[in-house]
Amino acid sequence: MSVPQSPWATDVFGDQAAAVRLAVGQGLRNMQANAQAAQEQAASRTTRTYGTTRYENQYERLQDELKELPGVRAVQPFGFSYELMLIGNGLLYPFRYAKTKSDVRSARIPSESRLVRELFTFAPAPKHTQDPFDLDFGTAIPTAEPRGALATVPQGTQLILVPFACNASELLEAYWGIAALGMNRQLEWATDPEPLHLPQTVTSYTPRPISIPHQITAHTSFADGTEPTLTLSSRIASDRALHVPAQTEAEPVEDQTSEDDATH
């Protein structure tokens, strides 16, 4: 189904706005599928495996879906383990804002990390945070000078937020849009947070395999062993005449070597 593009999306991504939107939704669907597969294979009573896998997949699966689009570029912030995708004039930043369906307009950014402060240098400036009665209810997070690959991002780039809600059971909803970072990590939306289509089909399913050591499929029982070779010899005539007892085992052969032979 064709969805009209918001003016801001066309301004940021140009003719690729529709393709970017579809790719982001697909990447989030793949993220959820992979995280659930990892949780199932872990067979854990907690959802830690889901959480860890979901976190890394929210970056990597989006990259899988976007990397073939013309002009796309992967940008790795300083000290960050994953890459963010820059396409057109938009730098995409996905994050989970809730575990249940919630009003995205009341969403908060997950942390006040240095990465967050660097990213919001590409966002609009927040509104004045003081009320008319001069009561200060909090301060906006100050921005920080971008480092590493973020320092090479062209001027005019805009931070495109991709907040989504999910848990170990399901992917609930996702949005994208532009927002400033206000007081107490609150987002001040400069655009309407636009719902993203989340397809049911998974296009990048990479469950973590469980390593099973090589197993011996055929088990050998005692009765299946190789029969020993018996050496038979007849007794000489003189032994039989003198009634020498038959020898059933060979005399042990004295070892002609010693430890000194091996070590000196």
Side-chain angles (χ1 to χ4, degrees):
M1 181 178 64
S2 178
V3 178
Q5 296 305 313
S6 299
W8 70 261
T10 303
D11 290 342
V12 172
F13 300 111
D15 294 339
Q16 298 193 93
V20 175
R21 179 177 177 171
L22 290 174
V24 171
Q26 185 66 66
L28 293 177
R29 172 58 65 195
N30 297 343
M31 168 205 73
Q32 178 73 4
N34 280 270
Q36 287 179 312
Q39 178 66 33
E40 181 179 357
Q41 291 186 20
S44 174
R45 288 177 294 179
T46 71
T47 57
R48 291 176 184 173
T49 301
Y50 167 83
T52 301
T53 310
R54 188 270 308 163
Y55 180 74
E56 63 184 30
N57 272 257
Q58 71 189 38
Y59 304 109
E60 294 178 352
R61 300 292 76 79
L62 261 67
Q63 184 173 13
D64 289 345
E65 295 300 316
L66 291 163
K67 63 185 179 182
E68 301 300 330
L69 293 178
V72 71
R73 173 186 163 196
V75 176
Q76 185 165 12
F78 179 83
F80 193 55
S81 300
Y82 307 100
E83 294 175 321
L84 304 179
M85 304 308 289
L86 174 64
I87 182 166
N89 294 323
L91 180 65
L92 294 164
Y93 178 53
F95 63 93
R96 183 170 74 172
Y97 76 94
K99 296 181 181 180
T100 59
K101 282 192 174 184
S102 304
D103 184 2
V104 71
R105 292 183 178 277
S106 62
R108 296 174 184 267
I109 207 72
S111 71
E112 300 181 9
S113 66
R114 173 66 188 259
L115 171 63
V116 167
R117 297 198 301 270
E118 292 181 26
L119 289 175
F120 274 87
T121 61
F122 304 102
K127 298 176 182 177
H128 191 57
T129 58
Q130 199 134 359
D131 76 349
F133 300 100
D134 292 330
L135 297 176
D136 190 1
F137 289 100
T139 57
I141 301 173
T143 58
E145 190 69 23
R147 300 170 296 169
L150 281 180
T152 68
V153 171
Q155 288 187 348
T157 296
Q158 297 191 63
L159 180 66
I160 307 303
L161 301 178
V162 185
F164 57 90
C166 69
N167 53 53
S169 298
E170 57 184 329
L171 177 61
L172 298 167
E173 55 191 2
Y175 300 84
W176 72 347
I178 300 172
L181 187 57
M183 61 182 185
N184 299 323
R185 297 185 288 114
Q186 188 78 36
L187 294 176
E188 299 176 359
W189 290 97
T191 66
D192 287 331
E194 184 177 342
L196 292 172
H197 173 64
L198 300 172
Q200 294 303 312
T201 303
V202 177
T203 61
S204 175
Y205 182 71
T206 54
R208 300 175 183 274
I210 298 176
S211 177
I212 301 176
H214 177 68
Q215 302 291 323
I216 299 174
T217 55
H219 298 279
T220 303
S221 66
F222 175 79
D224 294 334
T226 304
E227 294 184 1
T229 302
L230 301 178
T231 303
L232 302 177
S233 61
S234 60
R235 299 175 67 200
I236 60 177
S238 59
D239 285 349
R240 291 197 301 271
L242 295 173
H243 303 288
V244 177
Q247 182 176 322
T248 59
E249 294 185 6
E251 292 289 338
V253 178
E254 184 178 353
D255 191 1
Q256 300 300 313
T257 63
S258 67
E259 290 182 355
D260 287 343
D261 295 326
T263 57
H264 295 285

